[in-house]
Amino acid sequence: MTSEITGAEIVVRCLAEEGVEHVFGYPGGAVLYIYDAIFNQDKFQHILVRHEQAAVHAADAYSRSSHKVGVALVTSGPGVTNAVTGLATAYMDSIPMVVISGQVPSHAIGQDAFQECDTVGITRPCVKHNFLVKDVKDLAETIKKAFYIATTGRPGPVLVDIPKDITMHKCAYEYPKELEMRSYKPVDKGHSGQIRKALQLLLNAERPMIYSGGGVILANAAPELNKLVDRLGFPCTNTLMGLGAYRASSDKFVGMPGMHGTYEANMAMQHSDVLISIGARFDDRVIGNPKHFASHPRKIIHIDIDPSSISKRVKVDIPIVGNVKDVLQELLSQLDAAEAAAPSRSNAASLANWWKQINEWRERDCLKYPTSSEVIKPQSVIQKVWEVTKGDAFITSDVGQHQMWAAQYYPFDKPRRWINSGGLGTMGVGLPYAMGVQMANPGSTVACITGEASIQMCIQELATCKQYHLTPKIILLNNRFLGMVRQWQQIDYGSRYSESYMDSLPDFNKLAESYGHVGMKIENPNDVDGALKEAFAMKDRLVFMNFITDQTENVWPMVKAGKGLTEMLLGSEDL
């Protein structure tokens, strides 16, 4: 007869069955039976964070930077509400993740019990799916479903809410080997006929453009994308979430598009005659005003795993629903056959003229900035980080000016190296992201690029780093302002800097040292290179580098809200 085990032990065994190696969490009354079961197992390591938001962010980055599924464990009530920001962040960027939350005992649900909240109701808008487990016999299958839903189709976070009594109850344990969900059948293969139509459009295009997004990285389709771009010889742009999908070192890469994209990427996007979108969603920060974007007629091909994303903001001509990797593999296969039948292309001359035009746009050198021997320019710090790390680091970022500078001035040649909050734009993610990345990629170089406002939102995680010997290098670009807020206030609000000045900052050196780490303060431009080399040479220490940067520097180019892609401000002279 099969022996019975508790729901808490079932949770632990299910995680082990899924190959989970790390769980980020914070204990509380509703999950203490689960924590007791964790104490008695050796299959995975639990990482004790200092705030539930950081647990979910760390699990999120763990997934973004690897092929693994991030897992977080939080208690009921405030544990769950603290986790909501992390869930929404992962949901907006389609990150596969499983969050297990405790709940008050079943009989107390709806009774305003201590530390009770409607977890399913609160989290429903910001998860791919959620479950409330009502019977211990359903627990193993529910967790199996959670991992399956999180990782298939368009990925996303899934939450499993478990009342405390369910973790106490016992039943026979068997983890499902296979899963059949009648109501959930994601499509992987794209329609061959649609792919054939897309290829014909591409091969006859005079001004083609390849626009790739985070879906390429999530589908592990970077090799196929690189092969396609190189074979076709077309210009390629990667969105903020797609940086590294196509290698930045190639002359076919025209930079990032959108609000802070390059002049050449935006102009090429707008003036193309055939645009293929691969795992991107035409969001507002990329295409600007949809009416302006539609003012230049073009044929649009859209490849996406999620049919609801297609023609959501921009009407497309050839929709292809399917897994990006599978679709690109078939597209390449059809390209082989087409080139075997007709080795020379009819659009070769047009393509040469298109590249001539793009290179003229490139000559604007839109990322050029004034250098200074008096004050540290934030852009130069990013460029030095790239040099010191040889472009091979994992870069996590918070949200703001520093995020955009990192995207612009640290060229990525590999996928899953650029870890940032794109859709939700969550300040505070940088440090817990660095923790998750380092746990998933031990021995790798990890740098967190942040601002003095963002870093203080989860700065307590310096204690977690100390406890688990995590050693990311923190690159603080300190301009004593809410930098992006100040920039918008300067441009759109008559330089009325309402509540954007940070006039009571801590001594970051002493703060870092109080947590047991190394602190550095760099104020002279001549000291930047040496300080970075010294910091990255300290492989076994977390180094907190406080760079005092130019307060007046803005992120250029910039497309103001409501404007079109070609209506860029290239510098302060355009104001």
Side-chain angles (χ1 to χ4, degrees):
M1 181 178 175
T2 305
S3 61
E4 295 186 337
I5 61 175
T6 67
E9 291 169 322
I10 289 173
V11 170
V12 168
R13 288 205 189 180
C14 289
L15 295 179
E17 294 266 14
E18 288 291 340
V20 173
E21 298 173 357
H22 298 94
V23 173
F24 301 88
Y26 201 91
V31 288
L32 285 184
Y33 283 104
I34 297 176
Y35 272 90
D36 196 46
I38 288 174
F39 184 84
N40 292 315
Q41 62 83 45
D42 60 1
K43 299 296 185 183
F44 58 81
Q45 181 184 13
H46 180 275
I47 309 300
L48 176 65
V49 297
R50 297 328 190 243
H51 192 286
E52 290 90 351
Q53 179 177 344
V56 184
H57 288 329
D60 174 353
Y62 188 90
S63 179
R64 291 181 195 245
S65 64
S66 69
H67 297 247
K68 307 168 188 175
V69 180
V71 178
L73 173 61
V74 301
T75 194
S76 63
V80 166
T81 57
N82 283 345
V84 166
T85 299
L87 285 166
T89 301
Y91 180 66
M92 285 288 281
D93 292 341
S94 304
I95 306 304
M97 183 169 67
V98 173
V99 175
I100 295 170
S101 61
Q103 183 55 277
V104 300
S106 301
H107 65 83
I109 293 176
Q111 303 298 312
D112 294 332
F114 177 68
Q115 290 193 333
E116 180 191 359
C117 70
D118 179 7
T119 297
V120 169
I122 289 172
T123 63
R124 184 178 286 119
C126 58
V127 294
K128 185 177 179 184
H129 195 65
N130 59 18
F131 298 91
L132 172 62
V133 181
K134 297 179 179 179
D135 189 325
V136 69
K137 294 176 185 176
D138 298 329
L139 187 53
E141 184 178 12
T142 300
I143 292 176
K144 178 78 171 180
K145 286 180 179 178
F147 277 88
Y148 176 67
I149 293 170
T151 56
T152 55
R154 180 178 181 170
V158 176
L159 179 135
V160 181
D161 197 35
I162 310 175
K164 187 170 184 177
D165 57 308
I166 301 298
T167 66
M168 299 163 54
H169 294 168
K170 290 186 175 182
C171 72
Y173 168 74
E174 183 179 358
Y175 198 60
K177 291 183 173 59
E178 295 181 358
L179 195 63
E180 178 71 19
M181 296 180 68
R182 187 174 61 185
S183 61
Y184 178 66
K185 302 282 187 182
V187 175
D188 284 333
K189 301 294 183 183
H191 191 282
S192 290
Q194 292 290 88
I195 295 172
R196 190 172 298 109
K197 287 180 187 176
L199 181 61
Q200 288 306 311
L201 257 186
L202 291 169
L203 292 178
N204 291 314
E206 295 185 349
R207 300 184 308 280
M209 182 73 174
I210 296 175
Y211 154 52
S212 77
V216 174
I217 293 173
L218 291 169
N220 301 313
E224 287 81 4
L225 176 66
N226 277 263
K227 191 173 181 181
L228 180 70
V229 176
D230 293 344
R231 288 273 299 277
L232 293 174
F234 293 174
C236 180
T237 180
N238 295 336
T239 67
L240 181 71
M241 295 306 304
L243 293 176
Y246 183 71
R247 63 192 187 282
S249 59
S250 169
D251 61 356
K252 296 177 188 66
F253 181 63
V254 294
M256 181 175 71
M259 178 173 279
H260 296 295
T262 65
Y263 183 74
E264 53 268 30
N266 284 349
M267 294 296 283
M269 281 275 283
Q270 187 68 1
H271 293 286
S272 61
D273 68 339
V274 174
L275 176 66
I276 179 169
S277 170
I278 307 174
R281 56 190 178 89
F282 294 94
D283 70 283
D284 57 302
R285 288 294 175 100
V286 169
I287 67 163
N289 187 324
K291 290 183 179 179
H292 179 276
F293 187 72
S295 65
H296 285 252
R298 63 177 76 74
K299 294 292 185 180
I300 298 178
I301 304 158
H302 192 175
I303 303 170
D304 204 290
I305 189 72
D306 182 4
S308 71
S309 288
I310 295 178
S311 289
K312 186 175 185 177
R313 299 194 74 245
V314 170
K315 187 179 182 300
V316 306
D317 299 280
I318 301 180
I320 303 173
V321 178
N323 180 278
V324 166
K325 192 177 187 74
D326 291 322
V327 173
L328 288 184
Q329 285 175 348
E330 179 162 354
L331 185 61
L332 285 164
S333 178
Q334 291 193 17
L335 179 61
D336 287 340
E339 290 186 337
S344 59
R345 291 190 205 160
S346 60
N347 66 342
S350 298
L351 188 59
N353 288 332
W354 179 226
W355 272 113
K356 182 180 178 183
Q357 172 63 78
I358 291 171
N359 287 327
E360 287 178 8
W361 289 327
R362 272 178 168 160
E363 289 174 6
R364 296 292 294 268
D365 197 7
C366 66
L367 296 181
K368 187 177 182 179
Y369 61 92
T371 58
S372 172
S373 59
E374 304 296 326
V375 63
I376 296 174
K377 293 290 185 176
Q379 303 95 321
S380 69
V381 177
I382 305 297
Q383 290 175 318
K384 285 294 181 184
V385 171
W386 183 83
E387 289 176 16
V388 170
T389 61
K390 298 180 173 60
D392 201 34
F394 286 87
I395 302 295
T396 76
S397 161
D398 271 297
V399 171
Q401 287 181 314
H402 58 271
Q403 175 191 24
M404 294 299 107
W405 284 320
Q408 291 174 331
Y409 294 97
Y410 195 105
F412 291 91
D413 271 355
K414 298 177 183 177
R416 298 188 183 272
R417 295 302 181 99
W418 167 237
I419 314 296
N420 80 121
S421 168
L424 197 65
T426 306
M427 292 174 68
V429 297
L431 180 53
Y433 270 5
M435 291 161 28
V437 168
Q438 197 157 58
M439 294 305 301
N441 303 273
S444 296
T445 301
V446 181
C448 167
I449 295 173
T450 185
E452 72 286 346
S454 286
I455 192 63
Q456 293 188 82
M457 291 194 171
C458 280
I459 203 164
Q460 73 283 341
E461 299 310 316
L462 287 172
T464 307
C465 292
K466 182 64 177 177
Q467 180 175 347
Y468 296 97
H469 311 292
L470 301 175
T471 59
K473 306 303 179 267
I474 298 173
I475 315 295
L476 171 59
L477 303 181
N478 186 349
N479 61 9
R480 290 82 72 206
F481 267 107
L482 301 178
M484 193 60 84
V485 172
R486 182 204 60 76
Q487 177 169 336
W488 280 54
Q489 287 174 334
Q490 177 188 346
I491 295 170
D492 286 339
Y493 298 89
S495 296
R496 294 182 294 278
Y497 301 127
S498 177
E499 305 303 323
S500 56
Y501 177 60
M502 306 285 284
D503 61 352
S504 58
L505 292 174
D507 183 326
F508 286 110
N509 280 37
K510 290 180 179 177
L511 186 59
E513 289 166 1
S514 73
Y515 280 103
H517 303 302
V518 177
M520 291 184 179
K521 185 176 184 180
I522 304 95
E523 299 180 87
N524 191 317
N526 295 324
D527 296 333
V528 170
D529 186 60
L532 285 169
K533 288 176 178 175
E534 181 183 352
F536 281 97
M538 289 188 254
K539 302 292 186 185
D540 59 345
R541 299 297 300 276
L542 184 152
V543 183
F544 194 117
M545 310 186 73
N546 179 15
F547 290 92
I548 308 302
T549 62
D550 187 346
Q551 287 189 286
T552 66
E553 200 63 46
N554 287 332
V555 180
W556 307 112
M558 179 181 179
V559 178
K560 292 175 64 175
K563 296 294 185 180
L565 273 184
T566 60
E567 299 176 296
M568 286 167 279
L569 303 177
L570 297 184
S572 56
E573 66 276 5
D574 290 339
L575 294 177

